[in-house]
Amino acid sequence: MGGLPNKLSGNAADLTRAEWRELGFYYVSLEGEKKWELHGSKNGLLKLCAYINKFADENREYGDHQHLLPHWYLALTAIDSFTIDERGIGGTPEQLRNFANFFQNKVFSAKVGSTDSVSKETFSTDYSIEYTVQGDNFDPSSQDPQL
């Protein structure tokens, strides 16, 4: 199959664009490379840390999860051991907070225009996270091939 993804139009495109902007960063799962790719300004990427910390603070029951809009691909999951995998990021509240703190420090020290990663080996996970730090005026919806 393959090919270009179907373009969204009208209200669906407007809603998706607004959801990317509210999320603050763009993400895509590259299954063949076993990595999540993120694009955002420093403030946008730091929103991921805020989402993770908020999820951890809610002390969810085992297996409970929250999908991050739009597209619902990236999920935060309450489980008993830390993971980054094809579903997203999961762990205990303490593990999630530790990851959020680690990622926050990496983003704070990154330079605009740089690409860096959290390797699979860093936390012994199935997937890595590669992130590119964009300028403050970056629009995450600009990366979505469906828009």
Side-chain angles (χ1 to χ4, degrees):
M1 302 245 304
L4 294 174
N6 293 331
K7 291 283 189 182
L8 299 174
S9 60
N11 289 341
D14 292 342
L15 178 61
T16 300
R17 194 172 285 110
E19 288 171 343
W20 280 125
R21 290 172 180 161
E22 183 178 335
L23 184 65
F25 61 94
Y26 174 78
Y27 66 79
V28 64
S29 174
L30 302 176
E31 292 179 15
E33 298 177 49
K34 291 194 168 218
K35 73 177 178 182
W36 285 95
E37 192 174 276
L38 311 179
H39 297 268
S41 66
K42 280 191 180 191
N43 286 334
L45 291 168
L46 291 172
K47 281 187 168 187
L48 176 60
C49 301
Y51 292 121
I52 292 170
N53 282 323
K54 182 179 185 299
F55 182 84
D57 289 346
E58 292 170 355
N59 269 326
R60 305 273 189 115
E61 289 187 30
Y62 181 88
D64 197 7
H65 60 279
Q66 174 184 342
H67 293 274
L68 300 181
L69 295 173
H71 301 313
W72 293 48
Y73 300 142
L74 180 60
L76 305 176
T77 307
I79 54 178
D80 57 7
S81 62
F82 185 77
T83 188
I84 301 171
D85 61 19
E86 68 279 356
R87 292 197 63 211
I89 303 167
T92 66
E94 181 180 0
Q95 292 166 336
L96 291 169
R97 283 187 203 98
N98 287 342
F99 173 77
N101 186 54
F102 175 85
F103 189 68
Q104 177 179 304
N105 289 334
K106 286 189 68 85
V107 170
F108 272 141
S109 64
K111 294 191 181 335
V112 172
S114 68
T115 299
D116 198 356
S117 67
V118 178
S119 72
K120 297 174 202 174
E121 295 75 26
T122 304
F123 290 95
S124 298
T125 59
D126 292 340
Y127 272 51
S128 62
I129 294 179
E130 181 179 281
Y131 59 97
T132 301
V133 180
Q134 307 286 350
D136 288 340
N137 61 349
F138 175 71
D139 178 359
S141 71
S142 68
Q143 299 293 303
D144 191 333
Q146 290 186 289
L147 297 177

